[in-house]
Amino acid sequence: MSSPATILSATAARHPSKPALVVGETVLTYSELAERAGRVAGALRERGIAPGDRVSIYAQNRWEWIVAYHGILRAGGVVNPINVMLTPEEVAFVLNDCGASAIVASHDKAPILLELAADVPSLRDVFSFDEPPPGVLAFADLMASDASPPEVAPEPGALCTIGYTSGTTGHPKGAMQSHLAVFLNCALTATMHVRTHEDTVVTALPAPHVYGNVAVNSIFMAGGTVVLMERFDPAGALALIEQHRATLFEGVPTMYAMMLAHPEIETADLSSLTRATVGGQTIATSTVEEWERRSGAPLIELWGMTEIAGLGTTHALYGPNVHGSIGTALPGIGVRVGGLEDPSATMPPGEPGELMVRGPIVMLGYFGNDAATKDAVEPDGWLHTGDVAVSDEHERFFIVDRRKDMIVTAGYNVYPAEIERVIATHPAVAMVAVGSRPDELKGELARAYVVLRPGTAATEQEMIDHCRPHLAAYKLPRSVAFVPDLPKTSTGKIMRRELHTLD
């Protein structure tokens, strides 16, 4: 059955005593994980959760999050994963927008949800992963239930999850994903990266994010072991790779930059790694090369988005790993570079345009928002991604930048990612992000925000001079700010739109 609701039970039948999930000191086998998810499913049904009802999850990474996700799907519910960084106002919007019937959250979030409950008419139950405050139910009671797990056989095209976009402009939009889309994304990712039951993955990617979801469930599908960090920290990640003899690490560019800049990298044993993956944002080729030198394993770039339930492109493990490229389309998925002015046109190799995707992983649409759906998906099924890209003669793709992040300087288009890639090669740089500043004469100017590696020093002029041999004069950053850290999302992606707050 092409449904993520069946992944745990199918793998538990093959590897019942195999460790499936490790979070801190908690280790759950496949049979234990499937049994707990089944009990949650039965208890949710007894509490009136019917097939198609939306149930939200609002918490940091933890093993109970994974149980809740699979329990909700097993009950026939639709999972609404909520970013833990959302404000109460944003959470209320999401709950109302998707019509959530219940929500499961951590103890620190529960009081907020009780306050919001009166403003969310559809919300019947609030569950806490921890000791519940008055008025909140205990998730532990669901796991202790003796209710029989329901037999669920959702149609492949039925609604599986509603994942909300970051909402950089206006309200966030709920991307509706089918069971087939989520299942297929995990299956195709496992295939491209040759994930097997012998794999152990260490990851701190947030479970509510599609990249985190695929990182976890593609390994579950293969029968491997997931070591899930509650929060990322570079020393902790390096230690877990060594402790568990991990074969795979998955993260965003800032995670690799932070690990490489940490003193523990000098003594960390990464020899068990057979590959690692990176996505979420463009990554400097110099960072890829340094990680591969340190680990002895390929760092595989990938690209994806909420609207396609995870990945759209990546490199096959045994294929050419072209640094700077996000790889080729997943099998059976259409990917092309459309014209910036005419999306029906396909740009020739080397010519920039908007990356577009078509196929069974594309969302069903934005929940309750036909106008936004129409703007995002062409009548023939091609999805606008908002990423500017180029292709080569082998149908490999290269991200130039986010279309909305483009800086226009005196009529020239300047892409922050291009500047970031160059500055990141400076030996003193741990992390870098480029934003824009208004300018009366030229409209916008590029400004670089740099986090230096411990024990190093650099000047603004030195950074600008470092760029001169590699960038056209109009692309050079006009100023450089040295900062202790960069604003990040819950996934660790750098938020360019917040860079101005560092000035």
Side-chain angles (χ1 to χ4, degrees):
M1 180 52 162
S2 300
S3 168
T6 63
I7 290 175
L8 284 184
S9 56
T11 306
R14 303 195 311 271
H15 307 286
S17 59
K18 176 80 181 292
L21 182 63
V22 179
V23 184
E25 299 300 316
T26 300
V27 180
L28 296 175
T29 65
Y30 276 101
S31 61
E32 290 170 335
L33 199 55
E35 180 186 16
R36 295 183 190 195
R39 289 181 179 179
V40 168
L44 288 174
R45 277 292 189 89
E46 285 192 342
R47 292 202 62 84
I49 297 298
D53 282 356
R54 276 75 69 196
V55 181
S56 305
I57 313 176
Y58 184 40
Q60 199 76 29
N61 283 358
R62 53 193 299 159
W63 66 264
E64 295 96 336
W65 202 107
I66 306 300
V67 171
Y69 175 91
H70 285 276
I72 294 164
L73 293 183
R74 182 75 183 272
V78 175
V79 175
N80 166 229
I82 298 180
N83 183 337
V84 294
M85 295 181 72
L86 263 56
T87 65
E89 181 181 344
E90 291 170 317
V91 172
F93 173 83
V94 167
L95 296 176
N96 272 313
D97 192 64
C98 74
S101 297
I103 185 168
V104 192
S106 51
H107 185 273
D108 60 312
K109 308 293 185 186
I112 299 170
L113 295 171
L114 282 178
E115 293 178 12
L116 296 177
D119 298 321
V120 184
S122 62
L123 194 63
R124 300 195 303 267
D125 287 331
V126 177
F127 297 95
S128 174
F129 284 132
D130 309 291
E131 186 65 30
V136 175
L137 303 168
F139 183 76
D141 290 342
L142 296 181
M143 286 192 294
S145 168
D146 57 4
S148 299
E151 292 296 327
V152 177
E155 291 295 321
L159 184 57
C160 176
T161 65
I162 304 176
Y164 279 76
T165 59
S166 56
T168 53
T169 57
H171 284 302
K173 301 183 293 289
M176 300 185 290
Q177 291 297 346
S178 68
H179 281 263
L180 177 62
V182 178
F183 184 90
L184 199 55
N185 211 302
C186 294
L188 295 177
T189 299
T191 300
M192 291 288 277
H193 297 161
V194 195
R195 301 172 187 226
T196 76
H197 68 278
E198 296 180 345
D199 276 316
T200 295
V201 60
V202 171
T203 185
L205 292 167
H209 193 270
V210 289
Y211 186 12
N213 182 72
V214 171
V216 170
N217 284 309
S218 63
I219 291 292
F220 284 169
M221 189 178 283
T225 300
V226 175
V227 179
L228 184 64
M229 299 179 70
E230 294 182 22
R231 291 176 177 82
F232 176 77
D233 77 87
L238 293 169
L240 287 173
I241 291 170
E242 182 172 338
Q243 176 188 346
H244 293 278
R245 304 300 296 160
T247 56
L248 179 61
F249 180 84
E250 306 208 60
V252 296
T254 52
M255 294 179 182
Y256 290 96
M258 291 171 71
M259 287 189 288
L260 289 170
H262 198 279
E264 295 292 329
I265 193 69
E266 298 296 336
T267 56
D269 182 1
L270 306 178
S271 61
S272 61
L273 291 173
T274 56
R275 67 275 198 218
T277 73
V278 61
Q281 272 180 320
T282 54
I283 184 171
T285 299
S286 58
T287 304
V288 176
E289 292 171 347
E290 186 177 357
W291 177 262
E292 290 186 341
R293 180 176 62 81
R294 292 281 189 178
S295 68
L299 178 52
I300 301 172
E301 292 183 62
L302 54 85
W303 169 90
M305 61 190 303
T306 303
E307 286 83 348
I308 58 172
L311 279 62
T313 69
T314 188
H315 297 276
L317 177 60
Y318 296 121
N321 184 18
V322 179
H323 293 171
S325 169
I326 57 171
T328 60
L330 295 182
I333 305 303
V335 180
R336 66 181 179 86
V337 178
L340 293 174
E341 300 301 327
D342 179 10
S344 66
T346 297
M347 305 305 292
E351 291 294 320
E354 184 178 9
L355 197 67
M356 303 190 75
V357 182
R358 185 170 68 177
I361 60 173
V362 171
M363 67 175 179
L364 301 172
Y366 292 117
F367 189 84
N369 196 334
D370 292 340
T373 301
K374 186 176 180 180
D375 288 341
V377 185
E378 293 292 319
D380 58 359
W382 286 101
L383 171 73
H384 289 267
T385 69
D387 282 319
V388 178
V390 297
S391 64
D392 66 9
E393 66 275 16
H394 301 296
E395 296 190 1
R396 288 185 292 250
F397 298 93
F398 301 77
I399 294 294
V400 178
D401 214 330
R402 288 293 292 169
R403 191 170 183 173
K404 64 187 177 186
D405 288 337
M406 185 175 68
I407 301 169
V408 181
T409 298
Y412 291 100
N413 294 341
V414 177
Y415 295 100
E418 193 172 3
I419 303 173
E420 290 165 359
R421 289 189 187 101
V422 173
I423 294 178
T425 64
H426 191 287
V429 174
M431 289 188 290
V432 58
V434 172
S436 68
R437 300 187 76 181
D439 181 77
E440 289 186 6
L441 182 62
K442 296 186 177 181
E444 293 179 292
L445 294 176
R447 179 169 172 81
Y449 298 81
V450 172
V451 178
L452 294 173
R453 293 182 181 234
T456 65
T459 66
E460 179 180 53
Q461 193 59 49
E462 182 181 342
M463 288 294 160
I464 296 173
D465 290 343
H466 177 74
C467 295
R468 290 188 189 280
H470 310 285
L471 296 172
Y474 73 88
K475 297 180 183 179
L476 291 175
R478 302 303 174 182
S479 60
V480 178
F482 294 98
V483 295
D485 201 1
L486 298 171
K488 306 181 190 72
T489 67
S490 62
T491 62
K493 291 164 60 174
I494 294 168
M495 294 190 290
R496 290 195 185 121
R497 67 183 183 274
E498 297 295 327
L499 291 173
H500 67 93
T501 63
L502 300 178
D503 291 323

